[in-house]
């Protein structure tokens, strides 16, 4: 039968979703991953805990610090994420990051393609590498960059336009280093562990990788996903959202929409924190919905242990009632990626 040929994944991934959306194209079959059931679309706004990091500093009373640490622990044991406020990064700077991200994606394709990635590569502007057969594609475009340590940077992928992009990203990286130090120590204290224990496991050369996400509008948001359900392979991830909802976290068999808070950063555990906390903190499955009215941007910073370093459950979290759940693992992020491409979680490979 002389049928219409269906473009393959690598052909589709060499085009940008943003282009298809601007032309008002229907999502091609390889993007279709839902059956049009709108039940999920109206999922309840979640009550993901909001933690004031300012209350964890020495300027707060001991009582306030204790209370906030307990809230933090409870958030991470149940939701695996929290909205951080009082982090000392100004709303105007967060707005600047959102603005350069928006400005980058709103440029003509020709400009963005100066830093285009190959279909199979990771770093640069484009889409995730081609997944295994049978896996659907995400209705989004992204710019992926290694940002820390400095010697991991490949400047050829750092956009020269918009002009402020590089400086803003450099400044954000410095702020994220401080932020992750504070959060890693707070998480240790909340579990009554020595405050540097997680930082020691992450190692001197711990990584920060930035992923700028652009979720185009879609006429049929009920058929596609901006980002398919997954758990992160990082230690943990810091997500800056704009004012368009879309991110959802899976808990108790339901999807909960993460509210947008303009001055907050969402801190979401990755599998490696679940391993290091011997399963106490949860690495939640999450996904991104799109809508037919407004595009959405987000910036995810993946904070990951040094590549060649072994990580494992903290001894202080292993006892008779709570035996060791995980083995020591190395380069978990690589293993995670292999499974991700097959639409699977990887955590079981680390199980005892
Ligand atoms: O866009 C978001 O809010 C989430 C992004 C995300 O989950 C990821 O990049 O791994
Ligand atoms: Fe994620």
């Amino acid at each position: 039968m002389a049928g219409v040929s269906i473009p393959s994944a690598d052909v589709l991934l060499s085009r940008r979703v943003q282009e298809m959306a601007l032309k008002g194209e229907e999502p091609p079959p390889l993007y279709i991953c839902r059956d049009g059931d709108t039940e999920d679309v109206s999922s309840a706004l979640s009550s993901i805990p909001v933690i004031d990091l300012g209350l964890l500093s020495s300027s707060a009373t001991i009582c306030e610090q204790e209370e906030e640490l307990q809230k933090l622990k409870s958030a991470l044991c149940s939701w695996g994420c929290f909205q951080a406020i009082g982090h000392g990064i100004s709303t105007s700077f967060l707005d600047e990051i959102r603005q350069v991200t928006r400005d980058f994606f709103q440029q003509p394709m020709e400009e963005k393609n100066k830093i285009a990635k190959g279909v199979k590569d990771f770093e640069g502007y484009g889409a995730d590498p081609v997944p295994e057969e049978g896996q659907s594609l995400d209705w989004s475009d992204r710019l992926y960059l290694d940002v820390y340590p400095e010697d991991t940077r490949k400047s050829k992928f750092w956009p020269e336009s918009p002009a402020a992009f590089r400086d803003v990203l450099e400044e954000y990286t410095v702020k994220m280093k401080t932020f992750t130090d504070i959060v890693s120590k707070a998480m240790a204290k909340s579990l009554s562990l020595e405050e540097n224990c997680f930082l020691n496991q992450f190692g001197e050369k711990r990584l920060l990788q930035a992923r700028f996400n652009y979720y185009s509008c879609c006429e049929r948001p009920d058929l596609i996903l901006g980002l398919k359900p997954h758990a992160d392979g990082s230690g943990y991830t810091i997500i800056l959202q704009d004012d368009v909802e879309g991110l959802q976290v899976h808990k108790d068999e339901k999807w909960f929409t993460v509210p947008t808070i303009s001055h907050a950063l969402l801190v979401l555990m990755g599998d490696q924190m679940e391993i290091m906390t011997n399963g106490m903190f949860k690495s939640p499955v999450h996904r991104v919905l799109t809508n037919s009215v407004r595009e959405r941007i987000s910036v995810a910073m993946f904070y990951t242990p040094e590549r060649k370093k072994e990580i494992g459950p903290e001894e202080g979290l292993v006892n008779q009632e709570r035996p060791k759940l995980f083995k020591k693992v190395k380069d978990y992020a690589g293993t995670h990626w292999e499974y991700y491409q097959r639409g699977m979680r990887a955590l079981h490979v680390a199980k005892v």
Side-chain angles (χ1 to χ4, degrees):
M1 193 177 77
V4 184
S5 72
I6 297 175
S8 64
D10 50 350
V11 169
L12 285 168
L13 292 177
S14 65
R15 287 187 66 199
R16 300 284 56 82
V17 168
Q18 200 179 351
E19 278 181 304
M20 298 187 232
L22 279 174
K23 289 187 183 143
E25 291 177 25
E26 287 258 328
L30 273 171
Y31 288 88
I32 312 277
C33 59
R34 300 197 298 154
D35 58 8
D37 180 358
T38 51
E39 192 191 322
D40 282 328
V41 178
S42 58
S43 300
L45 270 190
S46 79
S47 49
I48 290 176
V50 177
I51 305 289
D52 186 347
L53 297 183
L55 292 178
L56 298 175
S57 70
S58 52
S59 58
T61 65
I62 299 289
C63 191
E64 283 171 329
Q65 290 180 38
E66 265 312 310
E67 207 175 300
E68 213 57 12
L69 283 176
Q70 280 315 308
K71 249 173 86 179
L72 175 70
K73 177 179 168 185
S74 144
L76 296 176
C77 291
S78 55
W79 286 94
C81 60
F82 67 93
Q83 301 255 33
I85 60 166
H87 42 60
I89 305 176
S90 69
T91 311
S92 61
F93 184 67
L94 296 179
D95 282 340
E96 251 185 278
I97 303 165
R98 294 181 179 111
Q99 196 56 49
V100 293
T101 306
R102 222 168 274 126
D103 289 349
F104 171 76
F105 285 104
Q106 273 161 10
Q107 298 178 114
M109 217 39 86
E110 195 188 349
E111 184 59 43
K112 287 179 288 199
N113 277 338
K114 287 183 183 163
I115 53 165
K117 61 187 273 302
V119 169
K120 295 197 171 79
D121 303 331
F122 235 93
E123 235 182 313
Y125 167 65
D128 276 351
V130 188
E132 288 213 2
E133 223 176 308
Q135 296 302 309
S136 59
L137 306 181
D138 296 324
W139 192 255
S140 56
D141 300 315
R142 47 51 149 211
L143 167 62
Y144 197 95
L145 298 171
D146 288 342
V147 297
Y148 186 83
E150 279 91 352
D151 63 9
T152 63
R153 292 182 187 171
K154 292 177 208 69
S155 66
K156 66 173 183 179
F157 288 121
W158 285 48
E160 279 176 11
S161 175
F165 191 101
R166 287 174 168 222
D167 286 348
V168 169
L169 180 54
E170 208 151 319
E171 195 176 335
Y172 192 41
T173 306
V174 173
K175 291 190 193 306
M176 280 294 103
K177 273 202 67 201
T178 311
F179 180 89
T180 47
D181 282 353
I182 293 170
V183 170
S184 301
K185 286 183 187 179
M187 292 195 298
K189 282 203 253 177
S190 81
L191 294 166
S192 309
L193 298 170
E194 196 280 308
E195 71 170 5
N196 288 311
C197 68
F198 294 129
L199 287 174
N200 292 339
Q201 290 223 48
F202 273 85
E204 270 303 289
K205 295 198 144 215
R206 44 189 175 266
L207 304 169
L208 279 170
Q209 290 156 316
R211 177 177 165 140
F212 299 81
N213 295 305
Y214 187 88
Y215 303 97
S216 297
C217 300
C218 181
E219 291 300 323
R220 293 300 309 269
D222 54 330
L223 296 180
I224 49 111
L225 284 169
L227 200 52
K228 57 178 154 275
H230 67 283
D232 289 352
S234 58
Y236 56 96
T237 308
I238 301 101
I239 298 171
L240 175 67
Q241 305 193 78
D242 67 359
D243 59 343
V244 181
E245 281 161 6
L247 176 60
Q248 295 190 319
V249 172
H250 201 239
K251 183 173 176 280
D252 304 330
E253 311 294 315
K254 285 197 285 276
W255 288 106
F256 291 91
T257 299
V258 179
T260 58
I261 307 178
S262 67
H263 54 289
L265 291 163
L266 179 79
V267 180
L268 188 128
M269 295 301 102
D271 286 353
Q272 300 200 55
M273 274 306 292
E274 182 159 339
I275 295 171
M276 285 189 251
T277 59
N278 199 29
M280 297 270 293
F281 291 173
K282 301 290 177 288
S283 160
V285 171
H286 51 288
R287 69 177 187 182
V288 179
L289 300 180
T290 53
N291 68 77
S292 57
V293 187
R294 286 187 68 190
E295 67 275 8
R296 172 176 184 271
I297 55 131
S298 71
V299 182
M301 271 281 184
F302 300 101
Y303 179 61
T304 305
E306 194 175 317
R307 262 203 189 99
K308 295 198 178 104
K309 207 162 174 309
E310 217 171 40
I311 60 125
E314 279 298 323
E315 286 302 329
L317 299 175
V318 179
N319 52 45
Q320 264 193 331
E321 288 93 72
R322 196 174 185 86
K324 198 172 272 195
L325 295 178
F326 297 102
K327 315 181 263 215
K328 289 194 167 165
V329 288
K330 225 190 317 193
D331 190 27
Y332 178 82
T335 311
H336 170 272
W337 180 251
E338 284 169 30
Y339 279 89
Y340 180 89
Q341 289 296 74
R342 287 149 58 187
M344 291 166 71
R345 288 198 72 172
L347 203 52
H348 65 277
V349 305
K351 289 246 163 86
V352 169

